[in-house]
Amino acid sequence: MLYGHLSALFCILVWSTTYISTKVLLEVLSPLQILVIRFVIGVALLYVIYPKRMKFQGKNELYFLGCGFFGVFLYYMCDNFALTYTMASNIGVIMSTAPFFTAIAMKIFYRDEEKLGRFFYLGFVLAMIGISLISFNGSKLSVNPFGDFLGILGAASWAMYSVFLKKVNALGTNTIANTRRINSYGLLFMIPMFLYLNHGEIPFAAMLAPKVAANLIFLSLIASAICFVAWNWASIKIGIMATSIYIYLGPVITVVASYFLIHEPLTKMTIAGTFLTLIGLFLSEKK
């Protein structure tokens, strides 16, 4: 149980710092190029770690397809393209609503799911207030309907990923093999858009630069391969909802990392927001 929570926490810790690597890579690569490269390398690594081929799962293959479409392709497409239309702070808050969407989706598709108590909803409200204080600290609230809609669609797509992931977990197949197949399907959905928008071009010479290579390795091997395996494993150990609630910690980790790594100041508003978010997390976990 403890290792499941630690695994989910590790994933959020890594995913909350990927924006630094992505920002560096955007100087030489397009968003789609970054995604295609990181998942190609990530899938290749999973084959090295676990070379055993998983059999075709018949009609159950649709669950893997659903995970790949919603959790890899659609989620990352919405996340990347939303940032070109609206403020990052808006997307940070909207994407953090994923646990709430997940709770709703699980109740719709799984009638046997545990009833959500008042602590979950109270925790959600407190976490959203806290995340808003963190994200909009020192910046004006800016609304862009299309960009914010993409953010909401991204949060909802993660909820649908969780719905399909529960079905995948119930099959009892190897977690690494599951993740490899899910990421492969997600990559399969990305390729047509990549060929259309980027004409299949990848600047291999630019990728050899030490700074670019290091950030690609971090995003591909740790954020895409290892973290997806760890997240899927944690969802088996502690449940889909318990892992999803850790998403609330994303903005908090970003604030702490910014303070220690790039020495951004901690204001009273960010401290208050961090405190409220943590209280919301603990309340949402309370039975």
Side-chain angles (χ1 to χ4, degrees):
M1 196 79 154
L2 174 62
Y3 290 114
H5 287 283
L6 291 176
S7 183
L9 182 61
F10 168 74
C11 293
I12 295 301
L13 179 63
V14 171
W15 286 336
S16 298
T17 56
T18 54
Y19 77 96
I20 299 173
S21 292
T22 303
K23 187 174 181 179
V24 171
L25 293 176
L26 282 172
E27 296 176 4
V28 293
L29 299 170
S30 74
L32 263 175
Q33 286 174 329
I34 295 171
L35 285 178
V36 169
I37 292 169
R38 67 182 278 189
F39 279 100
V40 165
I41 297 174
V43 168
L45 173 68
L46 293 178
Y47 270 108
V48 172
I49 296 174
Y50 187 80
K52 186 176 180 180
R53 182 176 174 273
M54 187 172 70
K55 293 180 180 180
F56 187 77
Q57 299 297 308
K59 65 179 182 180
N60 291 331
E61 199 70 24
L62 291 174
Y63 301 141
F64 293 93
L65 191 71
C67 282
F69 178 77
F70 287 107
V72 178
F73 170 70
L74 189 57
Y75 176 78
Y76 281 101
M77 287 296 101
C78 289
D79 191 17
N80 281 15
F81 283 100
L83 289 171
T84 65
Y85 290 96
T86 190
M87 294 170 56
S89 55
N90 291 43
I91 299 305
V93 173
I94 293 170
M95 287 295 190
S96 296
T97 63
F100 188 70
F101 282 103
T102 300
I104 294 172
M106 296 298 282
K107 290 300 294 181
I108 292 174
F109 291 96
Y110 297 101
R111 298 295 182 182
D112 59 339
E113 276 291 303
E114 184 179 343
K115 185 178 179 180
L116 298 174
R118 62 183 182 279
F119 285 113
F120 174 83
Y121 295 105
L122 178 59
F124 170 75
V125 171
L126 289 177
M128 286 301 100
I129 293 173
I131 291 167
S132 298
L133 289 176
I134 293 169
S135 299
F136 297 119
N137 180 33
S139 64
K140 293 181 179 179
L141 176 62
S142 176
V143 177
N144 182 297
F146 185 66
D148 293 341
F149 168 75
L150 287 177
I152 294 171
L153 184 60
S157 69
W158 188 263
M160 290 304 300
Y161 167 70
S162 300
V163 168
F164 282 100
L165 182 60
K166 183 168 182 175
K167 290 288 189 181
V168 169
N169 290 342
L171 297 176
T173 47
N174 181 271
T175 305
I176 297 176
N178 290 348
T179 306
R180 187 177 66 205
R181 183 155 293 182
I182 288 169
N183 287 4
S184 296
Y185 277 128
L187 186 60
L188 193 64
F189 284 114
M190 289 179 194
I191 289 175
M193 188 175 290
F194 170 65
L195 293 174
Y196 177 73
L197 295 178
N198 294 106
H199 309 292
E201 296 177 357
I202 295 179
F204 290 102
M207 289 169 56
L208 296 177
K211 184 170 69 171
V212 175
N215 284 284
L216 277 175
I217 289 172
F218 172 70
L219 288 177
S220 304
L221 304 189
I222 300 177
S224 295
I226 295 174
C227 278
F228 264 91
V229 171
W231 185 266
N232 295 348
W233 180 81
S235 70
I236 296 174
K237 294 299 179 182
I238 63 175
I240 296 291
M241 277 310 305
T243 50
S244 295
I245 288 170
Y246 277 93
I247 294 173
Y248 291 152
L249 283 179
V252 175
I253 293 171
T254 300
V255 167
V256 174
S258 299
Y259 176 73
F260 285 105
L261 297 178
I262 56 179
H263 309 295
E264 288 189 352
L266 273 178
T267 66
K268 292 180 180 179
M269 191 175 289
T270 56
I271 293 172
T274 300
F275 183 67
L276 284 173
T277 303
L278 291 174
I279 291 177
L281 171 69
F282 289 123
L283 282 176
S284 293
E285 290 274 15
K286 188 176 177 63
K287 300 298 183 184

